[in-house]
Amino acid sequence: MQYKIVQLTCGLGNQMFQYAFAKSLEYHLQIPILLDKSWYEAEYAMHFGLDIFKIDLPYVTREQMDDVKEKINYFEKKPKIIRSILKRFGFPRSTSSSAFEYRAEYLKPNSFIYFKGFFQNPLYFQSISSQINKILCPPPH
C-alpha cells in the first residue's frame, strides 16, 4: 500500500488535531497521507469545518476506501492467533487511539493503513509545529 489514511471526526478542534497528526505522518513516513471525511456524511454527524484552513492533504476516494476496508475486514475476521501471525508479517490493519495517548510507533514505518483517534498529544506533531501553526492559522474575517 502506497498511502495511509487518517479518519476525521467530531468538531473542528478534533479535526485540527487529526489533521496535524496526518501532516506529521506525511513528514515522518514520506508517503502520501489521505484524509477520510466520510464520518460527516452520516445524518447525525457534526459540521465539517476543516476546509476553512488551507489544508494540503487530499481526501480519500471511494475506491481507495473500499480497498482499505476490504483489507481491514479480512484481518479483523481472522481468529486472534491468525491476526497475531499476520501482524508479524506486516499485514495491513487499522488502529484506534485514545485522546491523549502517544504511540511513537505510529510515526515510524508500520503496517497500519487506517488511523482512527483524536491524537491530541503534542508529541505527534512537535517536529512540524511551526508548519502546523501556519496551516491552521484562523482565516481573516
Side-chain angles (χ1 to χ4, degrees):
M1 178 134 315
Q2 297 295 348
Y3 55 85
K4 295 183 184 278
I5 301 169
V6 175
Q7 181 189 44
L8 300 173
T9 61
C10 299
L12 180 58
N14 289 318
Q15 294 168 44
M16 292 168 72
F17 278 108
Q18 291 156 348
Y19 176 78
F21 172 73
K23 285 299 289 181
S24 189
L25 280 178
E26 179 186 54
Y27 172 80
H28 287 282
L29 301 179
Q30 297 293 303
I31 62 170
I33 305 298
L34 307 174
L35 301 174
D36 174 19
K37 65 177 184 175
S38 63
W39 187 85
Y40 297 92
E41 296 169 5
E43 192 173 316
Y44 64 88
M46 297 175 176
H47 173 71
F48 181 74
L50 200 58
D51 283 338
I52 65 170
F53 302 108
K54 293 182 181 184
I55 61 171
D56 59 354
L57 293 177
Y59 296 109
V60 66
T61 66
R62 172 75 58 202
E63 294 78 23
Q64 290 166 322
M65 199 63 223
D66 289 345
D67 181 47
V68 166
K69 283 182 181 177
E70 183 179 321
K71 287 177 173 61
I72 291 169
N73 287 338
Y74 176 83
F75 179 82
E76 291 176 351
K77 288 181 180 179
K78 298 295 180 194
K80 188 174 182 176
I81 187 74
I82 301 297
R83 288 195 314 266
S84 177
I85 294 168
L86 290 174
K87 281 184 201 179
R88 290 184 182 265
F89 286 100
F91 195 85
R93 56 200 171 111
S94 70
T95 187
S96 185
S97 183
S98 62
F100 300 104
E101 172 184 35
Y102 175 70
R103 307 249 332 248
E105 66 266 26
Y106 290 173
L107 300 179
K108 297 175 183 171
N110 60 62
S111 63
F112 296 115
I113 58 173
Y114 191 78
F115 294 85
K116 296 186 286 188
F118 296 107
F119 310 106
Q120 295 172 346
N121 191 313
L123 293 174
Y124 281 124
F125 47 89
Q126 70 182 1
S127 57
I128 60 164
S129 60
S130 62
Q131 181 184 7
I132 294 300
N133 288 340
K134 288 177 187 173
I135 295 170
L136 298 180
C137 181
H141 294 293

